[in-house]
Amino acid sequence: MKKNIEIRWHGRGGQGAKTAALLLADVAFSTGMHVQGFPEYGPERMGAPITAYNRIGHEPIRVHSNIYNPDFVVVVDETLLHSVDVTKGLSEDGAIVINTTKEKEEILPLLNGYKGGVYIIDARKVSMATLGKYFPNSPMLASIVKVSKIMDEDVFLTQMEESYKHKFAKKPEVIEGNMNALKMALSEVR
């Protein structure tokens, strides 16, 4: 990776976009990269649109602002495509990853003419199959790692397992499901 990668996350309060951005920063940091992971706070509440950000790379990060021209965008909730300009400033050399049950051709008209890469994944299907509940953040986290190639997938999985062991020390029963969600998402994103 020659430069720092910038990622903007769009989700709704309670879906885990902020948590996924922070987990990605933690995992990248543990591999020796320079990182930032932060949410944009406002009067958010459960279900309200939220934005989170990542800057990740091998160069020191000297910028401390929101991300206006991301390399990648992650859309955790496809209903935001109708109310938020998720492609605003998005590099056509990058890509957008969308959680949806629809086909890519159905989504394209909602992307304001965006000409870059468009990837889709059914995070609900992945999380229901692996966790038994709808938690889209783990599948979306794995999807952006695969699409952005920010790190080797095996390194990502190893670091995520360590992170989950720490995060879920008092609930070790959820680790396996989350790891399975990550693995399934890596193969499901298209």
Side-chain angles (χ1 to χ4, degrees):
M1 186 172 4
K2 292 185 173 102
K3 67 174 191 101
N4 293 331
I5 300 253
E6 295 185 326
I7 301 169
R8 187 173 64 215
W9 296 75
H10 293 280
R12 293 192 180 277
Q15 292 179 323
K18 172 187 146 188
T19 300
L22 296 176
L23 275 170
L24 181 56
D26 285 346
V27 168
F29 181 76
S30 69
T31 67
M33 290 192 234
H34 297 270
V35 302
Q36 287 180 350
F38 56 98
E40 179 178 4
Y41 281 110
E44 282 83 23
R45 61 194 183 289
M46 188 72 80
I50 66 107
T51 310
Y53 305 93
N54 285 112
R55 283 190 181 93
I56 300 173
H58 296 288
E59 301 294 321
I61 300 169
R62 306 213 188 283
V63 177
H64 299 281
S65 67
N66 290 349
I67 294 172
Y68 302 103
N69 299 104
D71 300 294
F72 298 94
V73 166
V74 180
V75 181
V76 181
D77 187 321
E78 76 173 287
T79 64
L80 293 170
L81 298 175
H82 301 285
S83 59
V84 176
D85 184 2
V86 297
T87 59
K88 185 175 184 179
L90 177 57
S91 168
E92 292 193 357
D93 293 332
I96 185 168
V97 181
I98 303 165
N99 173 17
T100 184
T101 58
K102 296 182 174 126
E103 292 301 316
K104 182 176 158 181
E105 294 71 32
E106 296 174 80
I107 294 295
L108 290 175
L110 302 172
L111 300 181
N112 300 319
Y114 178 66
K115 304 259 188 279
V118 178
Y119 294 82
I120 58 172
I121 182 167
D122 184 348
R124 177 179 296 277
K125 178 179 97 173
V126 171
S127 67
M128 293 303 289
T130 58
L131 299 166
K133 293 182 179 175
Y134 182 46
F135 295 112
N137 58 343
S138 285
M140 297 310 292
L141 174 57
S143 297
I144 193 59
V145 168
K146 173 133 186 153
V147 169
S148 68
K149 298 176 177 46
I150 221 158
M151 68 180 71
D152 178 78
E153 291 175 23
D154 291 331
V155 171
F156 167 70
L157 290 171
T158 299
Q159 293 302 317
M160 282 303 300
E161 187 167 22
E162 290 303 312
S163 178
Y164 283 153
K165 284 179 182 173
H166 177 72
K167 181 178 171 79
F168 298 123
K170 294 185 179 176
K171 295 193 282 183
E173 66 277 5
V174 302
I175 296 170
E176 183 180 356
N178 275 285
M179 289 305 299
N180 288 337
L182 295 174
K183 291 172 188 170
M184 186 175 175
L186 287 170
S187 65
E188 291 277 322
V189 67
R190 53 188 168 83

